[in-house]
Amino acid sequence: MIAPVLICLDKFRGCLTAAEASAAVAVGVTAAGGRAMTMPVADGGEGTLAALAGAGYRLVHADVSGPTGRPLRAAFAVRGTRAVIEMAQASGLDVLPGRPAPLVADSHGTGELIRAALDHGCLDIVLAVGGSATTDGGAGLLRALGAVITDARGVPVGPGGAALTTAAHLDLSTLDFRLRLARVTLVSDVDNPLCGPSGAAAVFGPQKGASPRDVEVLERGLRQFASVVTAATGRDVSSAPGAGAAGGTGFAALAALGARRVSGASFVLGELGVAEAMRDASLVVVGEGRFDEQSLHGKAPVGVASLARRYGVPVAVVAGDVRLSAERLREIGVVGAWSLLDRAGSLDVAIGRAPALLAEIGRELAGVVARGGAA
């Protein structure tokens, strides 16, 4: 019996979820007489909970504050005493009620999800921080967990990164006592520091709608907050890799919650058991909406490709748009690449016909397997 094609696609942003994209390719593989196994992946950002649903996790819902304070219903994933918090669920760009709000967007809802997980009896807290709308240094998260942040007059500091410019004191003695018993893991592939030209405001602020002037304000706020947190904790982790993740939420997790940092892609792929599934595969299909140089830096598809190379399984890339040269693709063990944009001729057609195009590519992939893995 021919070994199955293992389909491990990430989301096609604005078009298909990872599960939908993987299923569409599987339709084509099976229609052509092949065998398909789908294992949608994520890298710690949006879609992480959906990916973990296939690994024995169940979703628990909670009412929390969105990034601008509007109530919303979010979820976290639970398996045993472990809870996975997807920051994008509560504080992400995709849950903003309207336009971006870079100066006031707040991570309070993510802290509320952590508190809900503690209420659920979970003491192994995994905080996956991709896709955030915030640049508040994780201050909102800490407030939701009981911390008190005040200005020089003792007045509580308001939400958002801009308000941090007035921060003068942080009281962590009021943090939820259960955090002393919990283990917190920061899941992120971002290794940026909190401040400076490679920091959260400068690099990621514009992606969240921040103007050059906004970036300056947010940078001042993060620097002020870093000094306040350092005074409260007795150590400065603002330059630690990952401190700049999710607008500085990584900093709060490392400094105040004692978190350890792990790769988002490695965590998700390990939880899904991708390596085990690889052993029986004839071909591994990886990809996402755009497969480019950024994909090579910690993204889930390349993590899967690296595992496939270790097990000697050929890799095919299927993406909305492939921006890497054939030489670069060969370096990560790719035997062939399929682009929806090239096939459709225009972005609108590629998006509108994505499921059908992916199924068409799936039929071709079945042919690759029949030929022994050569594209």
Side-chain angles (χ1 to χ4, degrees), residues 195-291:
C195 302
S198 300
V203 175
F204 304 111
Q207 299 173 16
K208 302 173 185 184
S211 68
R213 185 184 179 101
D214 293 339
V215 168
E216 292 178 6
V217 173
L218 293 169
E219 177 72 12
R220 289 202 307 272
L222 292 176
R223 288 187 181 277
Q224 179 63 23
F225 190 54
S227 67
V228 169
V229 173
T230 298
T233 62
R235 61 193 187 110
D236 183 4
V237 300
S238 61
S239 296
T249 298
F251 169 71
L254 295 169
L257 304 184
R260 66 183 183 96
R261 173 176 167 262
V262 302
S263 158
S266 296
F267 169 77
V268 175
L269 300 186
E271 292 297 286
L272 294 178
V274 172
E276 290 77 6
M278 199 82 67
R279 295 170 181 159
D280 298 322
S282 58
L283 177 72
V284 176
V285 182
V286 304
E288 56 188 337
R290 175 179 290 180
F291 199 78

Side-chain angles (χ1 to χ4, degrees), residues 11-253:
K11 61 185 174 297
F12 283 41
R13 186 184 294 276
C15 181
L16 298 171
T17 66
E20 290 168 342
S22 298
V25 174
V27 167
V29 171
T30 56
R35 295 175 59 212
M37 180 190 314
T38 60
M39 196 168 277
V41 298
D43 58 12
E46 309 96 315
T48 296
L49 297 193
L52 293 178
Y57 283 83
R58 61 186 178 85
L59 295 185
V60 176
H61 291 84
D63 294 317
V64 301
S65 303
T68 55
R70 180 178 296 184
L72 58 81
R73 192 142 178 89
F76 57 96
V78 173
R79 188 178 69 187
T81 60
R82 169 174 285 176
V84 179
I85 311 297
E86 181 183 306
M87 186 173 182
Q89 285 270 324
S91 311
L93 284 166
D94 290 345
V95 296
L96 281 168
R99 298 168 57 187
L103 297 179
V104 298
D106 190 76
S107 59
H108 196 276
T110 300
E112 290 176 309
L113 281 180
I114 294 175
R115 198 173 64 219
L118 294 171
D119 291 342
H120 202 73
C122 298
L123 292 176
D124 182 0
I125 307 296
V126 177
L127 179 58
V129 296
S132 78
T134 61
T135 313
D136 74 336
L141 178 149
L142 294 180
R143 277 196 298 266
L145 292 172
V148 178
I149 306 167
T150 54
D151 64 16
R153 298 171 299 164
V155 177
V157 170
L164 294 178
T165 58
T166 66
H169 181 71
L170 169 66
D171 185 357
L172 292 173
S173 68
T174 50
L175 270 181
D176 192 310
F177 75 93
R178 294 170 295 184
L179 290 167
R180 301 173 195 167
L181 307 174
R183 178 177 65 177
V184 179
T185 302
L186 174 68
V187 169
S188 171
D189 291 304
V190 170
D191 59 6
N192 303 64
L194 179 66
C195 302
S198 300
V203 175
F204 304 111
Q207 299 173 16
K208 302 173 185 184
S211 68
R213 185 184 179 101
D214 293 339
V215 168
E216 292 178 6
V217 173
L218 293 169
E219 177 72 12
R220 289 202 307 272
L222 292 176
R223 288 187 181 277
Q224 179 63 23
F225 190 54
S227 67
V228 169
V229 173
T230 298
T233 62
R235 61 193 187 110
D236 183 4
V237 300
S238 61
S239 296
T249 298
F251 169 71

